[in-house]
Amino acid sequence: MSARTIAIDAMGGDFGPRSIVQACAACLVSNPSLSLALVGQPALLEDILRAYPGVDRSRLRILPATEVIGMNDKPSHALRSKPDASMRVALQALRDNQVQAVVSAGNTGALMALSRHVLKTLPGVDRPAMVAALPTRKGYCQLLDLGANVDCDAEHLYQFALMGTVAAQVQGIATPRVALLNVGTEDIKGNQQVRAAALLLQGAGIHYVGFVEGDGVYRGEADVVVCDGFAGNVLLKASEGLASMIGERIEAQFTKGVMARIAGAVALPVLRRLREDLMPARHNGASFLGLQGIVIKSHGAAGVQGLQAAIERARDQIDENLPCRLGEGLAALLSQRSSHGGRM
Amino acid sequence: MSARTIAIDAMGGDFGPRSIVQACAACLVSNPSLSLALVGQPALLEDILRAYPGVDRSRLRILPATEVIGMNDKPSHALRSKPDASMRVALQALRDNQVQAVVSAGNTGALMALSRHVLKTLPGVDRPAMVAALPTRKGYCQLLDLGANVDCDAEHLYQFALMGTVAAQVQGIATPRVALLNVGTEDIKGNQQVRAAALLLQGAGIHYVGFVEGDGVYRGEADVVVCDGFAGNVLLKASEGLASMIGERIEAQFTKGVMARIAGAVALPVLRRLREDLMPARHNGASFLGLQGIVIKSHGAAGVQGLQAAIERARDQIDENLPCRLGEGLAALLSQRSSHGGRM
């Protein structure tokens, strides 16, 4: 196996192992230096692989796992009762350095719980956060958390802000602007957690720019937008739903008459690119930040292309050495906090 | 004064009394049976009114108020320290039956606090909710709360669901589908408040259809979507921001070349209508539901047209006799609850 091997939870997701194997076969062709480990039931996977005789088996192995975590399984159940689940075996392979990253399209809550349990978090991180990039008028912003942590206190939000800062720096933004998502920009606005987090962030040694509202996110007022997983998930999914609705309504206009069809030939490709761009988590997966290892959650309803994009995202994070640099960056920020009398 | 008189807080909003007076003058022309009471500093308002010599002064009077609540004033400060604020005088005129509704583009938190204090809530309502209609693939849904109540427990969410049901019935939907906004549709998903509210709603005598995610809101999975004000505000404002961004990106495409301009001629009018449609609170104001009186919050950044739409919304609610019907509908639903052993 190469130095870049990614374990794929072959049993997770809404579409089952067949589409996952298809994505893996395509990835191996387009990424000649990448190796993959399909984690799941060997007989089933070998059977599916028969449809891909050209696949380079020196770069594709199967890691056996007998159990499957269902999309509706409680995280606690997944943790306690399924020791040989594909998701867990994949994470153990990462922990044991057999692979360098894990990609799963399975149950998000279970993936988070198992990741924390098997891999552990980086020093200073109580909870990993789920992050993805959203398009804005000025480029992209990193939004976290996207739903892995529905309830967050000020300390969690503070840690997310630090992680988001370092992750944005790794992606080349020297001094990322960090904002807290809120219902107004004045100091008095918001719930207690958000107001307390604002106080923590003012002395955190990062470029904290204050509160941002939902519309400000898309205006590009920040490079990193921090919120609890409830608000983040609502923002992300509502945006996906709205982008789809707008796209369909406009497309419908381009079928009414000859001029409209001509216009549609120009407008529709633009529109479709935009829709893909507006569904980053669906199309590219979301990262779990703050773990001792690279874990990418591919959208459960991601098709073959989405899963491929998630695998390539994992590949990029291996090349960036993300967990290691995140750990170093966090340690540097947290040491400033200690010297300023923050939480020890 | 006519039986339909609406008090307008002439001092609130981002654009000041001049644009508010302009909207009122336009409203009087287009609504011949409507009367308005401008609440604010008489000398200032008379001075502005000089620019509108044609205005029918038999239908426009000035209610004097010397103080103004600023957009950044804390609600508690507005409540305690500004007894003669325009917003408060308007609400007192409603309480005293001098007018039949209040419209303000001022500070939302102060308007909510003063409304509760001056008008009181309907029986069975702990907190009024801010509601507006969002467009969906199937029509519209009522979303509440939009930001007046950032922290809500299960009981508040339950009350919002009941209010939303009755309000949708008043608008002609016989059996509105009611959903709780959540980060997933499975029972185990979400925070404690949302899960507890789901249990309350299963026996509430309304058509509760379960959890809805952000994308499901736009798919039209419910007629009434209930959430705390933090999530609702994030959803509403992110939608506004995204719709603007998509609109601008598409418009930019339609200026590049001849074919694109032709396409633009088809697409742009659709897009502009859609953008207006997607900013219901900005364009039509939001209602405060659950008060003993009609209060419409016009968006602080609403222009003349937005304020006019908010005034006409107040007019419609007067004609619908909304608070009275809401009170009756709630009483009927709450009596079922009592007989089934719910909270007394």
Side-chain angles (χ1 to χ4, degrees), chain A residues 72 136-137 186 213 237 244 249-250 262-263 271, chain B residues 72 136-137 186 213 237 244 249-250 259 263 271:
Chain A
N72 294 331
T136 72
R137 289 197 184 177
E186 304 86 2
E213 297 180 77
K237 287 186 181 157
S244 282
R249 285 202 188 181
I250 296 179
I262 295 171
L271 211 61
Chain B
N72 295 331
T136 72
R137 290 196 185 176
E186 304 86 1
E213 297 180 76
K237 287 185 180 158
S244 283
R249 285 202 188 181
I250 295 180
M259 280 308 293
L271 207 64

mmCIF file with all atom_site columns, all heavy atoms in Angstrom, chain A residues 72 136-137 186 213 237 244 249-250 262-263 271, chain B residues 72 136-137 186 213 237 244 249-250 259 263 271:
data_model
loop_
_atom_site.group_PDB
_atom_site.id
_atom_site.type_symbol
_atom_site.label_atom_id
_atom_site.label_alt_id
_atom_site.label_comp_id
_atom_site.label_asym_id
_atom_site.label_entity_id
_atom_site.label_seq_id
_atom_site.pdbx_PDB_ins_code
_atom_site.Cartn_x
_atom_site.Cartn_y
_atom_site.Cartn_z
_atom_site.occupancy
_atom_site.B_iso_or_equiv
_atom_site.pdbx_formal_charge
_atom_site.auth_seq_id
_atom_site.auth_comp_id
_atom_site.auth_asym_id
_atom_site.auth_atom_id
_atom_site.pdbx_PDB_model_num
ATOM 1   N N   . ASN A 1 72  ? -30.297 5.076  11.201  1.00 0.00 ? 72  ASN A N   1
ATOM 2   C CA  . ASN A 1 72  ? -31.134 5.469  12.342  1.00 0.00 ? 72  ASN A CA  1
ATOM 3   C C   . ASN A 1 72  ? -30.636 4.922  13.675  1.00 0.00 ? 72  ASN A C   1
ATOM 4   O O   . ASN A 1 72  ? -31.289 5.100  14.694  1.00 0.00 ? 72  ASN A O   1
ATOM 5   C CB  . ASN A 1 72  ? -32.579 5.017  12.111  1.00 0.00 ? 72  ASN A CB  1
ATOM 6   C CG  . ASN A 1 72  ? -33.195 5.753  10.938  1.00 0.00 ? 72  ASN A CG  1
ATOM 7   O OD1 . ASN A 1 72  ? -32.815 6.886  10.647  1.00 0.00 ? 72  ASN A OD1 1
ATOM 8   N ND2 . ASN A 1 72  ? -34.127 5.111  10.256  1.00 0.00 ? 72  ASN A ND2 1
ATOM 9   N N   . THR A 1 136 ? -19.413 32.476 -0.697  1.00 0.00 ? 136 THR A N   1
ATOM 10  C CA  . THR A 1 136 ? -19.899 33.803 -0.310  1.00 0.00 ? 136 THR A CA  1
ATOM 11  C C   . THR A 1 136 ? -19.619 34.768 -1.460  1.00 0.00 ? 136 THR A C   1
ATOM 12  O O   . THR A 1 136 ? -18.998 34.396 -2.454  1.00 0.00 ? 136 THR A O   1
ATOM 13  C CB  . THR A 1 136 ? -19.185 34.339 0.942   1.00 0.00 ? 136 THR A CB  1
ATOM 14  O OG1 . THR A 1 136 ? -17.836 34.705 0.588   1.00 0.00 ? 136 THR A OG1 1
ATOM 15  C CG2 . THR A 1 136 ? -19.143 33.306 2.059   1.00 0.00 ? 136 THR A CG2 1
ATOM 16  N N   . ARG A 1 137 ? -20.045 36.013 -1.294  1.00 0.00 ? 137 ARG A N   1
ATOM 17  C CA  . ARG A 1 137 ? -19.762 37.001 -2.343  1.00 0.00 ? 137 ARG A CA  1
ATOM 18  C C   . ARG A 1 137 ? -18.277 37.257 -2.512  1.00 0.00 ? 137 ARG A C   1
ATOM 19  O O   . ARG A 1 137 ? -17.839 37.760 -3.537  1.00 0.00 ? 137 ARG A O   1
ATOM 20  C CB  . ARG A 1 137 ? -20.442 38.319 -2.001  1.00 0.00 ? 137 ARG A CB  1
ATOM 21  C CG  . ARG A 1 137 ? -21.921 38.208 -2.146  1.00 0.00 ? 137 ARG A CG  1
ATOM 22  C CD  . ARG A 1 137 ? -22.551 39.552 -2.211  1.00 0.00 ? 137 ARG A CD  1
ATOM 23  N NE  . ARG A 1 137 ? -23.992 39.361 -2.248  1.00 0.00 ? 137 ARG A NE  1
ATOM 24  C CZ  . ARG A 1 137 ? -24.866 40.330 -2.245  1.00 0.00 ? 137 ARG A CZ  1
ATOM 25  N NH1 . ARG A 1 137 ? -24.448 41.574 -2.206  1.00 0.00 ? 137 ARG A NH1 1
ATOM 26  N NH2 . ARG A 1 137 ? -26.141 40.073 -2.279  1.00 0.00 ? 137 ARG A NH2 1
ATOM 27  N N   . GLU A 1 186 ? -25.340 43.637 17.456  1.00 0.00 ? 186 GLU A N   1
ATOM 28  C CA  . GLU A 1 186 ? -25.076 44.399 18.671  1.00 0.00 ? 186 GLU A CA  1
ATOM 29  C C   . GLU A 1 186 ? -24.708 43.453 19.817  1.00 0.00 ? 186 GLU A C   1
ATOM 30  O O   . GLU A 1 186 ? -25.153 42.315 19.862  1.00 0.00 ? 186 GLU A O   1
ATOM 31  C CB  . GLU A 1 186 ? -26.316 45.213 19.058  1.00 0.00 ? 186 GLU A CB  1
ATOM 32  C CG  . GLU A 1 186 ? -26.815 46.148 17.964  1.00 0.00 ? 186 GLU A CG  1
ATOM 33  C CD  . GLU A 1 186 ? -27.775 45.465 16.975  1.00 0.00 ? 186 GLU A CD  1
ATOM 34  O OE1 . GLU A 1 186 ? -28.078 44.265 17.163  1.00 0.00 ? 186 GLU A OE1 1
ATOM 35  O OE2 . GLU A 1 186 ? -28.196 46.140 16.019  1.00 0.00 ? 186 GLU A OE2 1
ATOM 36  N N   . GLU A 1 213 ? -24.706 37.955 11.034  1.00 0.00 ? 213 GLU A N   1
ATOM 37  C CA  . GLU A 1 213 ? -26.045 37.410 10.856  1.00 0.00 ? 213 GLU A CA  1
ATOM 38  C C   . GLU A 1 213 ? -26.069 36.514 9.615   1.00 0.00 ? 213 GLU A C   1
ATOM 39  O O   . GLU A 1 213 ? -25.105 36.478 8.849   1.00 0.00 ? 213 GLU A O   1
ATOM 40  C CB  . GLU A 1 213 ? -27.047 38.557 10.717  1.00 0.00 ? 213 GLU A CB  1
ATOM 41  C CG  . GLU A 1 213 ? -27.123 39.408 11.967  1.00 0.00 ? 213 GLU A CG  1
ATOM 42  C CD  . GLU A 1 213 ? -28.120 40.558 11.821  1.00 0.00 ? 213 GLU A CD  1
ATOM 43  O OE1 . GLU A 1 213 ? -29.329 40.298 11.911  1.00 0.00 ? 213 GLU A OE1 1
ATOM 44  O OE2 . GLU A 1 213 ? -27.687 41.695 11.622  1.00 0.00 ? 213 GLU A OE2 1
ATOM 45  N N   . LYS A 1 237 ? -28.606 23.380 5.482   1.00 0.00 ? 237 LYS A N   1
ATOM 46  C CA  . LYS A 1 237 ? -29.657 22.640 4.771   1.00 0.00 ? 237 LYS A CA  1
ATOM 47  C C   . LYS A 1 237 ? -30.694 23.574 4.164   1.00 0.00 ? 237 LYS A C   1
ATOM 48  O O   . LYS A 1 237 ? -31.212 23.317 3.080   1.00 0.00 ? 237 LYS A O   1
ATOM 49  C CB  . LYS A 1 237 ? -30.311 21.625 5.698   1.00 0.00 ? 237 LYS A CB  1
ATOM 50  C CG  . LYS A 1 237 ? -29.393 20.445 5.960   1.00 0.00 ? 237 LYS A CG  1
ATOM 51  C CD  . LYS A 1 237 ? -30.086 19.368 6.770   1.00 0.00 ? 237 LYS A CD  1
ATOM 52  C CE  . LYS A 1 237 ? -29.136 18.206 7.033   1.00 0.00 ? 237 LYS A CE  1
ATOM 53  N NZ  . LYS A 1 237 ? -29.553 17.443 8.221   1.00 0.00 ? 237 LYS A NZ  1
ATOM 54  N N   . SER A 1 244 ? -31.862 24.875 -4.475  1.00 0.00 ? 244 SER A N   1
ATOM 55  C CA  . SER A 1 244 ? -32.581 23.950 -5.350  1.00 0.00 ? 244 SER A CA  1
ATOM 56  C C   . SER A 1 244 ? -33.881 24.568 -5.844  1.00 0.00 ? 244 SER A C   1
ATOM 57  O O   . SER A 1 244 ? -34.214 24.472 -7.026  1.00 0.00 ? 244 SER A O   1
ATOM 58  C CB  . SER A 1 244 ? -32.932 22.661 -4.602  1.00 0.00 ? 244 SER A CB  1
ATOM 59  O OG  . SER A 1 244 ? -31.821 21.840 -4.505  1.00 0.00 ? 244 SER A OG  1
ATOM 60  N N   . ARG A 1 249 ? -37.155 26.885 -10.161 1.00 0.00 ? 249 ARG A N   1
ATOM 61  C CA  . ARG A 1 249 ? -38.092 27.918 -10.623 1.00 0.00 ? 249 ARG A CA  1
ATOM 62  C C   . ARG A 1 249 ? -37.553 28.633 -11.852 1.00 0.00 ? 249 ARG A C   1
ATOM 63  O O   . ARG A 1 249 ? -38.294 28.930 -12.784 1.00 0.00 ? 249 ARG A O   1
ATOM 64  C CB  . ARG A 1 249 ? -38.334 28.953 -9.521  1.00 0.00 ? 249 ARG A CB  1
ATOM 65  C CG  . ARG A 1 249 ? -39.229 28.425 -8.432  1.00 0.00 ? 249 ARG A CG  1
ATOM 66  C CD  . ARG A 1 249 ? -39.861 29.579 -7.681  1.00 0.00 ? 249 ARG A CD  1
ATOM 67  N NE  . ARG A 1 249 ? -40.565 29.089 -6.520  1.00 0.00 ? 249 ARG A NE  1
ATOM 68  C CZ  . ARG A 1 249 ? -41.236 29.857 -5.676  1.00 0.00 ? 249 ARG A CZ  1
ATOM 69  N NH1 . ARG A 1 249 ? -41.260 31.158 -5.861  1.00 0.00 ? 249 ARG A NH1 1
ATOM 70  N NH2 . ARG A 1 249 ? -41.848 29.342 -4.648  1.00 0.00 ? 249 ARG A NH2 1
ATOM 71  N N   . ILE A 1 250 ? -36.262 28.906 -11.843 1.00 0.00 ? 250 ILE A N   1
ATOM 72  C CA  . ILE A 1 250 ? -35.693 29.609 -12.992 1.00 0.00 ? 250 ILE A CA  1
ATOM 73  C C   . ILE A 1 250 ? -35.642 28.682 -14.204 1.00 0.00 ? 250 ILE A C   1
ATOM 74  O O   . ILE A 1 250 ? -36.002 29.075 -15.314 1.00 0.00 ? 250 ILE A O   1
ATOM 75  C CB  . ILE A 1 250 ? -34.300 30.172 -12.649 1.00 0.00 ? 250 ILE A CB  1
ATOM 76  C CG1 . ILE A 1 250 ? -34.444 31.229 -11.553 1.00 0.00 ? 250 ILE A CG1 1
ATOM 77  C CG2 . ILE A 1 250 ? -33.652 30.778 -13.882 1.00 0.00 ? 250 ILE A CG2 1
ATOM 78  C CD1 . ILE A 1 250 ? -33.146 31.840 -11.106 1.00 0.00 ? 250 ILE A CD1 1
ATOM 79  N N   . ILE A 1 262 ? -33.808 29.348 -26.006 1.00 0.00 ? 262 ILE A N   1
ATOM 80  C CA  . ILE A 1 262 ? -32.489 29.857 -26.418 1.00 0.00 ? 262 ILE A CA  1
ATOM 81  C C   . ILE A 1 262 ? -31.780 30.464 -25.208 1.00 0.00 ? 262 ILE A C   1
ATOM 82  O O   . ILE A 1 262 ? -30.613 30.197 -24.934 1.00 0.00 ? 262 ILE A O   1
ATOM 83  C CB  . ILE A 1 262 ? -32.641 30.911 -27.541 1.00 0.00 ? 262 ILE A CB  1
ATOM 84  C CG1 . ILE A 1 262 ? -33.211 30.242 -28.794 1.00 0.00 ? 262 ILE A CG1 1
ATOM 85  C CG2 . ILE A 1 262 ? -31.304 31.585 -27.841 1.00 0.00 ? 262 ILE A CG2 1
ATOM 86  C CD1 . ILE A 1 262 ? -33.612 31.224 -29.884 1.00 0.00 ? 262 ILE A CD1 1
ATOM 87  N N   . ALA A 1 263 ? -32.523 31.255 -24.477 1.00 0.00 ? 263 ALA A N   1
ATOM 88  C CA  . ALA A 1 263 ? -31.946 31.862 -23.278 1.00 0.00 ? 263 ALA A CA  1
ATOM 89  C C   . ALA A 1 263 ? -31.482 30.783 -22.315 1.00 0.00 ? 263 ALA A C   1
ATOM 90  O O   . ALA A 1 263 ? -30.426 30.889 -21.682 1.00 0.00 ? 263 ALA A O   1
ATOM 91  C CB  . ALA A 1 263 ? -32.988 32.762 -22.607 1.00 0.00 ? 263 ALA A CB  1
ATOM 92  N N   . LEU A 1 271 ? -26.380 28.117 -14.017 1.00 0.00 ? 271 LEU A N   1
ATOM 93  C CA  . LEU A 1 271 ? -27.233 27.849 -12.878 1.00 0.00 ? 271 LEU A CA  1
ATOM 94  C C   . LEU A 1 271 ? -26.846 26.544 -12.201 1.00 0.00 ? 271 LEU A C   1
ATOM 95  O O   . LEU A 1 271 ? -26.812 26.439 -10.973 1.00 0.00 ? 271 LEU A O   1
ATOM 96  C CB  . LEU A 1 271 ? -28.656 27.747 -13.415 1.00 0.00 ? 271 LEU A CB  1
ATOM 97  C CG  . LEU A 1 271 ? -29.765 28.177 -12.507 1.00 0.00 ? 271 LEU A CG  1
ATOM 98  C CD1 . LEU A 1 271 ? -29.610 29.635 -12.136 1.00 0.00 ? 271 LEU A CD1 1
ATOM 99  C CD2 . LEU A 1 271 ? -31.095 27.981 -13.218 1.00 0.00 ? 271 LEU A CD2 1
ATOM 100 N N   . ASN B 1 72  ? -30.309 50.338 19.090  1.00 0.00 ? 72  ASN B N   1
ATOM 101 C CA  . ASN B 1 72  ? -29.407 49.594 19.970  1.00 0.00 ? 72  ASN B CA  1
ATOM 102 C C   . ASN B 1 72  ? -29.806 49.655 21.439  1.00 0.00 ? 72  ASN B C   1
ATOM 103 O O   . ASN B 1 72  ? -29.094 49.136 22.295  1.00 0.00 ? 72  ASN B O   1
ATOM 104 C CB  . ASN B 1 72  ? -27.971 50.107 19.813  1.00 0.00 ? 72  ASN B CB  1
ATOM 105 C CG  . ASN B 1 72  ? -27.444 49.822 18.414  1.00 0.00 ? 72  ASN B CG  1
ATOM 106 O OD1 . ASN B 1 72  ? -27.854 48.852 17.772  1.00 0.00 ? 72  ASN B OD1 1
ATOM 107 N ND2 . ASN B 1 72  ? -26.552 50.672 17.939  1.00 0.00 ? 72  ASN B ND2 1
ATOM 108 N N   . THR B 1 136 ? -42.287 28.318 -0.579  1.00 0.00 ? 136 THR B N   1
ATOM 109 C CA  . THR B 1 136 ? -41.792 26.947 -0.702  1.00 0.00 ? 136 THR B CA  1
ATOM 110 C C   . THR B 1 136 ? -42.169 26.427 -2.085  1.00 0.00 ? 136 THR B C   1
ATOM 111 O O   . THR B 1 136 ? -42.851 27.109 -2.839  1.00 0.00 ? 136 THR B O   1
ATOM 112 C CB  . THR B 1 136 ? -42.423 26.016 0.348   1.00 0.00 ? 136 THR B CB  1
ATOM 113 O OG1 . THR B 1 136 ? -43.797 25.777 -0.010  1.00 0.00 ? 136 THR B OG1 1
ATOM 114 C CG2 . THR B 1 136 ? -42.382 26.620 1.739   1.00 0.00 ? 136 THR B CG2 1
ATOM 115 N N   . ARG B 1 137 ? -41.751 25.194 -2.380  1.00 0.00 ? 137 ARG B N   1
ATOM 116 C CA  . ARG B 1 137 ? -42.118 24.609 -3.678  1.00 0.00 ? 137 ARG B CA  1
ATOM 117 C C   . ARG B 1 137 ? -43.606 24.407 -3.804  1.00 0.00 ? 137 ARG B C   1
ATOM 118 O O   . ARG B 1 137 ? -44.118 24.266 -4.906  1.00 0.00 ? 137 ARG B O   1
ATOM 119 C CB  . ARG B 1 137 ? -41.433 23.258 -3.846  1.00 0.00 ? 137 ARG B CB  1
ATOM 120 C CG  . ARG B 1 137 ? -39.967 23.443 -4.042  1.00 0.00 ? 137 ARG B CG  1
ATOM 121 C CD  . ARG B 1 137 ? -39.356 22.184 -4.593  1.00 0.00 ? 137 ARG B CD  1
ATOM 122 N NE  . ARG B 1 137 ? -37.918 22.392 -4.653  1.00 0.00 ? 137 ARG B NE  1
ATOM 123 C CZ  . ARG B 1 137 ? -37.056 21.484 -5.020  1.00 0.00 ? 137 ARG B CZ  1
ATOM 124 N NH1 . ARG B 1 137 ? -37.489 20.296 -5.351  1.00 0.00 ? 137 ARG B NH1 1
ATOM 125 N NH2 . ARG B 1 137 ? -35.778 21.748 -5.057  1.00 0.00 ? 137 ARG B NH2 1
ATOM 126 N N   . GLU B 1 186 ? -35.239 11.843 12.302  1.00 0.00 ? 186 GLU B N   1
ATOM 127 C CA  . GLU B 1 186 ? -35.435 10.710 13.204  1.00 0.00 ? 186 GLU B CA  1
ATOM 128 C C   . GLU B 1 186 ? -35.722 11.211 14.623  1.00 0.00 ? 186 GLU B C   1
ATOM 129 O O   . GLU B 1 186 ? -35.266 12.277 15.016  1.00 0.00 ? 186 GLU B O   1
ATOM 130 C CB  . GLU B 1 186 ? -34.182 9.818  13.207  1.00 0.00 ? 186 GLU B CB  1
ATOM 131 C CG  . GLU B 1 186 ? -33.770 9.306  11.826  1.00 0.00 ? 186 GLU B CG  1
ATOM 132 C CD  . GLU B 1 186 ? -32.869 10.285 11.072  1.00 0.00 ? 186 GLU B CD  1
ATOM 133 O OE1 . GLU B 1 186 ? -32.531 11.354 11.617  1.00 0.00 ? 186 GLU B OE1 1
ATOM 134 O OE2 . GLU B 1 186 ? -32.535 9.992  9.911   1.00 0.00 ? 186 GLU B OE2 1
ATOM 135 N N   . GLU B 1 213 ? -36.263 19.328 8.235   1.00 0.00 ? 213 GLU B N   1
ATOM 136 C CA  . GLU B 1 213 ? -34.925 19.918 8.147   1.00 0.00 ? 213 GLU B CA  1
ATOM 137 C C   . GLU B 1 213 ? -34.987 21.171 7.283   1.00 0.00 ? 213 GLU B C   1
ATOM 138 O O   . GLU B 1 213 ? -35.997 21.454 6.639   1.00 0.00 ? 213 GLU B O   1
ATOM 139 C CB  . GLU B 1 213 ? -33.950 18.902 7.564   1.00 0.00 ? 213 GLU B CB  1
ATOM 140 C CG  . GLU B 1 213 ? -33.798 17.671 8.448   1.00 0.00 ? 213 GLU B CG  1
ATOM 141 C CD  . GLU B 1 213 ? -32.824 16.670 7.867   1.00 0.00 ? 213 GLU B CD  1
ATOM 142 O OE1 . GLU B 1 213 ? -31.610 16.899 7.949   1.00 0.00 ? 213 GLU B OE1 1
ATOM 143 O OE2 . GLU B 1 213 ? -33.280 15.652 7.320   1.00 0.00 ? 213 GLU B OE2 1
ATOM 144 N N   . LYS B 1 237 ? -32.597 34.963 7.639   1.00 0.00 ? 237 LYS B N   1
ATOM 145 C CA  . LYS B 1 237 ? -31.585 35.902 7.129   1.00 0.00 ? 237 LYS B CA  1
ATOM 146 C C   . LYS B 1 237 ? -30.605 35.231 6.178   1.00 0.00 ? 237 LYS B C   1
ATOM 147 O O   . LYS B 1 237 ? -30.163 35.855 5.205   1.00 0.00 ? 237 LYS B O   1
ATOM 148 C CB  . LYS B 1 237 ? -30.848 36.562 8.292   1.00 0.00 ? 237 LYS B CB  1
ATOM 149 C CG  . LYS B 1 237 ? -31.728 37.580 9.002   1.00 0.00 ? 237 LYS B CG  1
ATOM 150 C CD  . LYS B 1 237 ? -30.982 38.319 10.076  1.00 0.00 ? 237 LYS B CD  1
ATOM 151 C CE  . LYS B 1 237 ? -31.887 39.330 10.772  1.00 0.00 ? 237 LYS B CE  1
ATOM 152 N NZ  . LYS B 1 237 ? -31.371 39.674 12.117  1.00 0.00 ? 237 LYS B NZ  1
ATOM 153 N N   . SER B 1 244 ? -30.020 36.885 -2.463  1.00 0.00 ? 244 SER B N   1
ATOM 154 C CA  . SER B 1 244 ? -29.349 38.056 -3.035  1.00 0.00 ? 244 SER B CA  1
ATOM 155 C C   . SER B 1 244 ? -28.097 37.648 -3.797  1.00 0.00 ? 244 SER B C   1
ATOM 156 O O   . SER B 1 244 ? -27.838 38.125 -4.901  1.00 0.00 ? 244 SER B O   1
ATOM 157 C CB  . SER B 1 244 ? -28.934 39.033 -1.932  1.00 0.00 ? 244 SER B CB  1
ATOM 158 O OG  . SER B 1 244 ? -30.039 39.746 -1.497  1.00 0.00 ? 244 SER B OG  1
ATOM 159 N N   . ARG B 1 249 ? -25.112 36.811 -8.831  1.00 0.00 ? 249 ARG B N   1
ATOM 160 C CA  . ARG B 1 249 ? -24.227 35.979 -9.652  1.00 0.00 ? 249 ARG B CA  1
ATOM 161 C C   . ARG B 1 249 ? -24.856 35.689 -11.001 1.00 0.00 ? 249 ARG B C   1
ATOM 162 O O   . ARG B 1 249 ? -24.187 35.699 -12.032 1.00 0.00 ? 249 ARG B O   1
ATOM 163 C CB  . ARG B 1 249 ? -23.936 34.660 -8.949  1.00 0.00 ? 249 ARG B CB  1
ATOM 164 C CG  . ARG B 1 249 ? -22.960 34.819 -7.823  1.00 0.00 ? 249 ARG B CG  1
ATOM 165 C CD  . ARG B 1 249 ? -22.309 33.483 -7.529  1.00 0.00 ? 249 ARG B CD  1
ATOM 166 N NE  . ARG B 1 249 ? -21.503 33.578 -6.322  1.00 0.00 ? 249 ARG B NE  1
ATOM 167 C CZ  . ARG B 1 249 ? -20.799 32.583 -5.829  1.00 0.00 ? 249 ARG B CZ  1
ATOM 168 N NH1 . ARG B 1 249 ? -20.813 31.412 -6.426  1.00 0.00 ? 249 ARG B NH1 1
ATOM 169 N NH2 . ARG B 1 249 ? -20.096 32.754 -4.742  1.00 0.00 ? 249 ARG B NH2 1
ATOM 170 N N   . ILE B 1 250 ? -26.151 35.414 -10.978 1.00 0.00 ? 250 ILE B N   1
ATOM 171 C CA  . ILE B 1 250 ? -26.810 35.098 -12.246 1.00 0.00 ? 250 ILE B CA  1
ATOM 172 C C   . ILE B 1 250 ? -26.896 36.358 -13.107 1.00 0.00 ? 250 ILE B C   1
ATOM 173 O O   . ILE B 1 250 ? -26.620 36.327 -14.302 1.00 0.00 ? 250 ILE B O   1
ATOM 174 C CB  . ILE B 1 250 ? -28.198 34.488 -11.996 1.00 0.00 ? 250 ILE B CB  1
ATOM 175 C CG1 . ILE B 1 250 ? -28.031 33.135 -11.284 1.00 0.00 ? 250 ILE B CG1 1
ATOM 176 C CG2 . ILE B 1 250 ? -28.938 34.298 -13.313 1.00 0.00 ? 250 ILE B CG2 1
ATOM 177 C CD1 . ILE B 1 250 ? -29.328 32.434 -10.987 1.00 0.00 ? 250 ILE B CD1 1
ATOM 178 N N   . MET B 1 259 ? -25.826 36.729 -26.589 1.00 0.00 ? 259 MET B N   1
ATOM 179 C CA  . MET B 1 259 ? -26.717 35.637 -26.235 1.00 0.00 ? 259 MET B CA  1
ATOM 180 C C   . MET B 1 259 ? -27.097 35.729 -24.754 1.00 0.00 ? 259 MET B C   1
ATOM 181 O O   . MET B 1 259 ? -28.238 35.494 -24.368 1.00 0.00 ? 259 MET B O   1
ATOM 182 C CB  . MET B 1 259 ? -26.037 34.288 -26.507 1.00 0.00 ? 259 MET B CB  1
ATOM 183 C CG  . MET B 1 259 ? -26.062 33.865 -27.947 1.00 0.00 ? 259 MET B CG  1
ATOM 184 S SD  . MET B 1 259 ? -27.729 33.919 -28.656 1.00 0.00 ? 259 MET B SD  1
ATOM 185 C CE  . MET B 1 259 ? -28.509 32.610 -27.713 1.00 0.00 ? 259 MET B CE  1
ATOM 186 N N   . ALA B 1 263 ? -30.743 35.959 -22.955 1.00 0.00 ? 263 ALA B N   1
ATOM 187 C CA  . ALA B 1 263 ? -31.145 35.078 -21.859 1.00 0.00 ? 263 ALA B CA  1
ATOM 188 C C   . ALA B 1 263 ? -31.568 35.900 -20.655 1.00 0.00 ? 263 ALA B C   1
ATOM 189 O O   . ALA B 1 263 ? -32.543 35.600 -19.963 1.00 0.00 ? 263 ALA B O   1
ATOM 190 C CB  . ALA B 1 263 ? -29.995 34.142 -21.495 1.00 0.00 ? 263 ALA B CB  1
ATOM 191 N N   . LEU B 1 271 ? -36.188 36.397 -11.814 1.00 0.00 ? 271 LEU B N   1
ATOM 192 C CA  . LEU B 1 271 ? -35.263 36.398 -10.689 1.00 0.00 ? 271 LEU B CA  1
ATOM 193 C C   . LEU B 1 271 ? -35.598 37.498 -9.698  1.00 0.00 ? 271 LEU B C   1
ATOM 194 O O   . LEU B 1 271 ? -35.558 37.306 -8.487  1.00 0.00 ? 271 LEU B O   1
ATOM 195 C CB  . LEU B 1 271 ? -33.869 36.643 -11.264 1.00 0.00 ? 271 LEU B CB  1
ATOM 196 C CG  . LEU B 1 271 ? -32.719 36.107 -10.482 1.00 0.00 ? 271 LEU B CG  1
ATOM 197 C CD1 . LEU B 1 271 ? -32.810 34.603 -10.431 1.00 0.00 ? 271 LEU B CD1 1
ATOM 198 C CD2 . LEU B 1 271 ? -31.418 36.507 -11.160 1.00 0.00 ? 271 LEU B CD2 1
#
